[in-house]
């Protein structure tokens, strides 16, 4: 238990990388681009992933697919998450990644995505139906890439086929370097409570670092998930959208045994504007602000008259000036 104090308590290793903390930014398609990863690095996140990258997209030289690959040194170690169903194609995709960039720290394989477009090709969570293939994929990638190869899985396909222990065994035998588990089945999609009790003490049964994912919205959610599972770190996914300070709150607690307060409205406004600036730099103002219609409203919660600002941000955002004006007018409204 606690009491070792300071960094040593939180330290764990991914390959040769020393990771000093408890928070990992979960891969999220449509979100975790370079801008989003760099923004979260300011809050002390310990590890990040790209959005999922299609093996076939890489093999066919699809420009958009290639644009997901990191192109410069990042503040925090980053993993490239690949998705695909065939070990040989994933191996080829890894070789392409290695030709195109050296700015990454590990390769991860998506074995959890529930989207039909992905599962009908046998990729994502469909792989869980074939644990041996999960192992073959890790072996194939490791045959060409010397760094850490990791996997992100779910509990199983549905309640009748909860087989994460079998999948983990195959992955470990194949030499996986870390496993992240989203504590839901494919059938659960993203709803309902994640089933942490089902994976109680899971880390004790494993030889490699474990990350847990599912409804980590607060420090208490993280404490609960880590205590039950004994995982090395939690993944921040939807809970970090509009509340990046949760990363710092978790790490600070595990380093100092103290809680820090939630962000003030002033701080939330600052975070909201800052992430917008990062996204604009990356994607240009028009595209960034369109994407921001679904992100900006999340920065405003537990506040009076909050519906007005949420609705306006979701519908009216076109420029950075709009963002500033809508926020400014809301702050004026609060003064009344
Ligand atoms: C919009 C969205 C996109 C996601 N994209 C990916 C992805 O590309 N790869 C992946 O492994 N998981 C992806 N996930 C799953 C998350 O990484 C995470 O495991 C899941 O959302 C559960 O955590 P939460 O309940 O805290 O959101 C995505 C989730 C969301 C909501």
């Amino acid at each position: 238990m606690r009491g070792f104090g300071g960094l040593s308590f939180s330290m764990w290793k991914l390959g040769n990388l020393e990771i000093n903390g408890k928070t990992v930014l979960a891969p999220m398609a449509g979100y975790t681009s370079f801008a989003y990863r760099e923004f979260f690095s300011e809050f002390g996140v310990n590890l990040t992933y790209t959005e999922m990258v299609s093996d076939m997209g890489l093999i066919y030289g699809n420009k958009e697919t290639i644009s997901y690959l990191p192109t410069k040194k990042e503040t925090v170690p980053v993993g490239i998450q690949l998705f695909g169903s065939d070990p040989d194609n994933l191996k080829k995709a890894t070789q392409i990644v290695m030709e195109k960039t050296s700015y990454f720290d590990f390769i991860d394989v998506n074995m959890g995505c529930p989207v039909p477009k992905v599962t009908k090709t046998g990729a994502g969570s469909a792989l869980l139906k074939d644990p041996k293939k999960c192992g073959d994929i890790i072996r194939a990638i490791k045959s060409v890439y010397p760094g850490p190869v990791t996997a992100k899985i779910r509990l199983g396909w549905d309640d009748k086929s909860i087989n994460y222990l079998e999948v983990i065994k195959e992955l470990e035998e194949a030499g996986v370097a870390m496993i992240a588990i989203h504590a839901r089945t494919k059938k659960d999609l993203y709803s309902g409570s994640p089933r942490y009790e089902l994976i109680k003490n899971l880390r004790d049964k494993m030889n490699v670092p474990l990350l847990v994912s599912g409804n980590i919205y607060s420090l208490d959610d993280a404490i609960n998930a880590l205590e039950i599972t004994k995982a090395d770190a939690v993944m921040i996914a939807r809970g970090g959208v509009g509340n990046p300070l949760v990363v710092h709150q978790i790490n600070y607690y595990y380093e100092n045994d103290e809680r820090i307060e939630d962000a003030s409205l002033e701080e939330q406004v600052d975070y909201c504007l800052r992430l917008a600036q990062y996204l604009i730099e990356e994607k240009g103002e028009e595209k960034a602000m369109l994407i921001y219609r679904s992100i900006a409203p999340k920065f405003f919660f537990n506040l009076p008259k909050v519906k007005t600002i949420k609705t306006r941000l979701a519908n009216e955002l076109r420029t950075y000036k709009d963002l500033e004006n809508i926020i400014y007018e809301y702050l004026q409204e609060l003064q009344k």
Side-chain angles (χ1 to χ4, degrees):
M1 285 308 293
R2 297 176 61 79
F4 299 108
L7 294 177
S8 60
F9 173 74
S10 293
M11 207 278 275
W12 50 280
K13 281 182 97 178
L14 167 57
N16 294 324
L17 276 179
E18 286 190 357
I19 314 287
N20 286 304
K22 296 273 179 211
T23 56
V24 173
L25 185 63
M28 280 194 293
Y31 287 80
T32 53
S33 62
F34 173 73
Y36 199 82
R37 300 194 295 271
E38 282 300 295
F39 175 69
F40 267 84
S41 78
E42 294 180 7
F43 296 88
V45 83
N46 303 103
L47 201 68
T48 68
Y49 294 73
T50 61
E51 303 171 65
M52 61 180 186
V53 178
S54 153
D55 62 345
M56 295 316 286
L58 289 173
I59 290 168
Y60 289 131
N62 181 295
K63 279 213 178 77
E64 197 183 331
T65 308
I66 293 165
S67 77
Y68 296 144
L69 302 178
T71 56
K72 51 191 142 189
K73 175 102 186 78
E74 303 198 5
T75 313
V76 174
V78 56
I80 294 175
Q81 190 189 59
L82 297 177
F83 74 97
S85 64
D86 177 62
D88 234 35
N89 285 336
L90 281 156
K91 176 169 138 184
K92 278 187 210 140
T94 303
Q95 286 170 312
I96 295 167
V97 165
M98 290 164 72
E99 282 160 22
K100 297 224 174 277
T101 180
S102 56
Y103 298 112
F104 65 99
D105 300 277
F106 64 105
I107 295 277
D108 182 74
V109 184
N110 181 321
M111 301 184 178
C113 181
V115 175
K117 208 172 93 185
V118 170
T119 54
K120 74 169 192 260
T121 67
S125 54
L127 288 169
L128 301 175
K129 291 177 168 178
D130 190 348
K132 166 127 192 343
K133 198 184 201 188
C134 296
D136 289 342
I137 287 173
I138 301 299
R139 267 184 284 271
I141 296 176
K142 278 177 70 77
S143 72
V144 291
Y145 172 63
V149 181
T150 67
K152 182 158 177 279
I153 67 173
R154 286 187 179 235
L155 299 175
W157 180 261
D158 60 17
D159 277 8
K160 287 193 205 101
S161 55
I162 291 194
N163 64 345
Y164 62 94
L165 281 178
E166 196 187 344
V167 172
I168 289 173
K169 183 167 164 279
E170 292 289 343
L171 292 171
E172 287 197 329
E173 275 175 20
V176 79
M178 173 178 81
I179 295 173
I181 185 162
H182 177 184
R184 294 184 172 100
T185 64
K186 180 272 165 191
K187 207 158 173 226
D188 293 335
L189 300 175
Y190 295 98
S191 56
S193 297
R195 284 178 269 171
Y196 286 116
E197 281 299 334
L198 199 67
I199 52 170
K200 194 171 170 161
N201 298 329
L202 178 57
R203 178 64 176 91
D204 295 342
K205 298 172 196 152
M206 293 172 55
N207 303 309
V208 296
L210 171 70
L211 308 178
V212 287
S213 176
N215 281 12
I216 305 294
Y217 283 85
S218 67
L219 169 61
D220 285 313
D221 293 335
I223 293 173
N224 181 55
L226 290 172
E227 272 183 9
I228 296 175
T229 63
K230 308 282 202 300
D232 297 273
V234 289
M235 279 189 149
I236 308 296
R238 288 173 297 181
V241 184
N243 184 23
L245 193 70
V246 69
V247 165
H248 182 53
Q249 288 176 313
I250 296 168
N251 278 338
Y252 194 87
Y253 175 78
Y254 280 99
E255 277 173 26
N256 302 295
D257 205 2
E258 267 175 48
R259 288 171 182 261
I260 47 175
E261 283 187 14
D262 290 340
S264 63
L265 173 57
E266 207 182 3
E267 286 166 324
Q268 285 294 102
V269 168
D270 175 48
Y271 304 157
C272 179
L273 294 175
R274 244 169 43 217
L275 178 56
Q277 289 158 12
Y278 272 112
L279 289 170
I280 288 169
E281 201 173 310
E282 179 176 78
K283 301 177 194 298
E285 188 171 16
E286 196 180 340
K287 193 167 172 205
M289 289 301 94
L290 218 56
I291 293 171
Y292 220 47
R293 287 181 175 202
S294 60
I295 299 178
K298 302 258 168 62
F299 283 91
F300 300 92
F301 51 89
N302 292 343
L303 290 161
K305 304 177 203 165
V306 78
K307 214 166 160 210
T308 4
I309 185 172
K310 280 181 176 291
T311 312
R312 288 195 67 195
L313 290 170
N315 295 300
E316 293 174 29
L317 261 192
R318 275 179 303 108
T319 63
Y320 185 75
K321 199 84 204 126
D322 291 339
L323 179 66
E324 282 186 329
N325 285 343
I326 295 168
I327 294 174
Y328 178 75
E329 282 161 29
Y330 175 65
L331 295 178
Q332 295 286 95
E333 185 68 25
L334 285 182
Q335 307 273 306
K336 282 184 192 160

